Amino acid sequence: MSNQSLTEQLEEAAQQFKVSTPIEAQIKLSQMIEELQETGIASGKQPGDKAVDFKLKNALGQDVILFEELAKGPVVLVFYRGGWCPFCNMQLRAYQQILPEIQAIGAQLIAISPQKPDHSLSLQEKEGLEFQVLSDPNGLVTAKYNLLFDVPSGVQEIMEGAGLDLAEYNNTSKWVLPVPATFMIDESANIRSAYVNPNFMQRQSPEEILRELRKL
């Protein structure tokens, strides 16, 4: 297991991404990030907002209901792009490492992406994750958390060029993605902290998650 922090791993991956990605593709991705930042179109729920209840299936096809989970204790709710995204995989692996500390605080971790459950399961098996990985078809729950956006046609072309048909991967007719986000939700369903960042190469650090959780 790498001794690098998540931030260091992400920075290294971002550098690698810049080296290996054609400049035209980088420009289109930067434009997408800037547009999301400027318009606030998917700026996410804010601290003080109420969490929206949902029922989604986990990788085994079982229903998971947020408010039932909150009855057991606080939830760290993570929205990620999918198992095809290397930055998401680094994030989930890093969060897996702090899972014992999250559980010791009495909380649990739930991750949501728009990918279909069979892809969630392969990710779960591959990464050895021990938390719930939920499938959000068509991004309906993601939209309720104000995180869903339509992938611009230019970025769609880049992804298709890299062999990723997002619509097929997510089993939907739409090219939609979540802005990556992490929310701390207390037992009363209040969102106590929110990390929402359109720059998909940056994520909330595990240390910050534990710090925020301890305040609940």
Side-chain angles (χ1 to χ4, degrees):
M1 189 56 74
S2 168
N3 291 324
Q4 286 182 309
S5 71
L6 175 60
T7 307
E8 288 168 339
Q9 288 177 48
L10 291 171
E11 282 171 3
E12 202 171 280
Q15 289 303 323
Q16 191 58 44
F17 181 79
K18 283 176 183 147
V19 170
S20 60
T21 306
I23 193 72
E24 304 81 32
Q26 291 188 47
I27 289 167
K28 285 177 183 171
L29 287 163
S30 294
Q31 285 170 339
M32 179 184 78
I33 291 168
E34 279 169 29
E35 193 173 313
L36 286 166
Q37 287 168 335
E38 284 167 13
T39 61
I41 205 161
S43 53
K45 290 249 175 219
Q46 303 301 314
D49 288 347
K50 276 281 184 194
V52 180
D53 196 16
F54 58 74
K55 178 167 80 173
L56 292 174
K57 292 200 181 302
N58 64 15
L60 302 173
Q62 300 158 331
D63 286 333
V64 175
I65 298 169
L66 177 63
F67 283 16
E68 285 183 7
E69 300 308 314
L70 287 172
K72 305 171 194 172
V75 167
V76 180
L77 188 63
V78 178
F79 288 86
Y80 71 102
R81 287 148 42 100
W84 52 269
C85 169
F87 300 94
C88 295
N89 290 334
M90 285 175 194
Q91 175 191 27
L92 295 185
R93 279 200 301 269
Y95 292 0
Q96 166 70 36
Q97 287 182 292
I98 59 162
L99 200 56
E101 291 167 87
I102 290 173
Q103 290 166 341
I105 294 168
Q108 65 167 313
L109 182 63
I110 296 175
I112 296 177
S113 85
Q115 66 193 34
K116 54 190 176 186
D118 57 339
H119 281 136
S120 295
L121 183 62
S122 62
L123 173 79
Q124 203 171 28
E125 287 173 336
K126 192 170 64 196
E127 307 297 357
L129 301 179
E130 293 161 24
F131 49 84
Q132 300 270 23
V133 178
L134 309 185
S135 181
D136 179 23
N138 293 311
L140 296 180
V141 171
T142 305
K144 288 177 181 169
Y145 279 78
N146 193 26
L147 295 168
L148 195 71
F149 69 95
D150 292 304
V151 178
S153 57
V155 174
Q156 194 170 318
E157 286 163 19
I158 294 166
M159 294 172 87
E160 285 178 323
L164 177 67
D165 182 339
L166 197 61
E168 191 282 324
Y169 196 91
N170 293 341
N171 197 24
T172 174
S173 59
K174 302 175 192 160
W175 276 69
V176 290
L177 279 177
V179 166
T182 303
F183 300 104
M184 311 288 152
I185 307 173
D186 68 19
E187 294 100 320
S188 304
N190 295 311
I191 295 174
R192 299 288 290 274
S193 83
Y195 178 94
V196 182
N197 192 339
N199 184 347
F200 58 85
M201 299 183 212
Q202 297 172 358
R203 306 295 163 106
Q204 188 168 33
S205 73
E207 297 75 20
E208 203 175 322
I209 286 176
L210 292 173
R211 214 167 32 240
E212 292 295 338
L213 265 183
R214 290 188 180 110
K215 293 179 190 170
L216 297 190

